[in-house]
Amino acid sequence: MAQWLGQFTGRSHATRVEDAEAAMRQAVSAFHAGAPDAKALRKVQKFAERLLRARLQFLKARIADGERIPTAEELTKREQELARLRRAESAARAGGVGAILGEFGIAE
């Protein structure tokens, strides 16, 4: 993985996804608690876009990490894992923000 400013701080792509999911849950609960209007929906969509970016970066990093270190013993297992991650990345890209909003119970 590439070095980045937050290296060795305990923050990673996985924790970024967790943080974005927590923020999305909070935004959705606030959306449902208040009067759902177009402005509130746009704000929730922004949180969904942030979560989508975080998930895609996480999946890309996992794929890159798996491609870089293939060992003879784990080759088949690693190929299966990479195929699963690529399918997950494709599904996330295909679903986009709408899929994330649906996952959290908000219809566009």
Side-chain angles (χ1 to χ4, degrees), residues 51-61 88-90 92-93:
L51 178 56
L52 177 63
R53 281 192 308 272
R55 285 180 177 176
L56 289 173
Q57 286 179 342
F58 170 74
L59 290 168
K60 284 173 60 175
E89 182 184 19
S90 295
R93 285 187 190 282

Side-chain angles (χ1 to χ4, degrees), residues 30-53:
F31 177 79
H32 288 305
D37 59 352
K39 186 176 180 181
L41 180 60
R42 282 194 304 273
K43 287 181 181 181
V44 171
Q45 287 174 332
K46 290 291 183 186
F47 279 103
E49 290 170 3
R50 177 178 159 208
L51 178 56
L52 177 63
R53 281 192 308 272

Side-chain angles (χ1 to χ4, degrees), residues 11-13 15 21 28 31 38 45 50 59 87 93 95 101:
R11 294 185 311 226
S12 65
H13 291 294
T15 57
E21 286 175 346
V28 167
F31 177 79
Q45 287 174 332
R50 177 178 159 208
L59 290 168
R87 285 191 303 273
R93 285 187 190 282
L101 291 173

Side-chain angles (χ1 to χ4, degrees), residues 41-86:
L41 180 60
R42 282 194 304 273
K43 287 181 181 181
V44 171
Q45 287 174 332
K46 290 291 183 186
F47 279 103
E49 290 170 3
R50 177 178 159 208
L51 178 56
L52 177 63
R53 281 192 308 272
R55 285 180 177 176
L56 289 173
Q57 286 179 342
F58 170 74
L59 290 168
K60 284 173 60 175
R62 292 282 310 271
I63 290 169
D65 196 32
E67 287 176 337
R68 199 170 334 142
I69 315 169
T71 60
E73 306 90 37
E74 298 178 342
L75 191 58
T76 304
K77 182 179 174 184
R78 188 169 302 273
E79 286 175 351
Q80 291 172 349
E81 176 69 9
L82 286 174
R84 184 188 67 77
L85 290 170
R86 286 190 179 107

